[in-house]
Amino acid sequence: GSDDIIAGNVSKFTVLPPGYCGQLKKGHLIFDACFESGNLGRVDHITDFEYDLFIRPDTCNPRFRVWFNFTVENVKESQ
């Protein structure tokens, strides 16, 4: 659930639609936050245009989630 503790960053994590088991296609987004100041802990696929992003708490103060630092690859035109 959304109350789960998010321990680390996603690293070149490909988000596929639920039940999809074919080849990676353009538009299957790849998220990465495995770098200094990255803070993306989890990504859930909702639709091809909507994703739930779970941002890790700040290292020095777990009450705060004040920045969003991650990359996205493999987007398709108009996505």
Side-chain angles (χ1 to χ4, degrees):
S2 61
D3 293 333
D4 294 341
I5 294 173
I6 300 171
N9 287 323
V10 296
S11 178
K12 296 288 183 179
F13 180 69
T14 303
V15 182
L16 299 172
Y20 183 84
C21 58
Q23 293 284 342
L24 180 67
K25 296 179 182 178
K26 197 75 163 167
H28 290 158
L29 301 185
I30 301 169
F31 291 83
D32 186 31
C34 197
F35 49 85
E36 186 175 347
S37 79
N39 69 331
L40 184 60
R42 193 175 99 212
V43 181
D44 293 344
H45 180 274
I46 304 301
T47 71
D48 287 345
F49 300 98
E50 183 179 358
Y51 297 81
D52 279 342
L53 306 177
F54 296 85
I55 306 302
R56 289 188 317 101
D58 186 79
T59 303
C60 296
N61 191 340
R63 291 181 34 213
F64 294 104
R65 297 165 196 248
V66 295
W67 77 93
F68 307 91
N69 201 358
F70 55 90
T71 64
V72 180
E73 301 173 33
N74 203 41
V75 298
K76 64 182 174 183
E77 188 175 337
S78 77
Q79 184 174 28

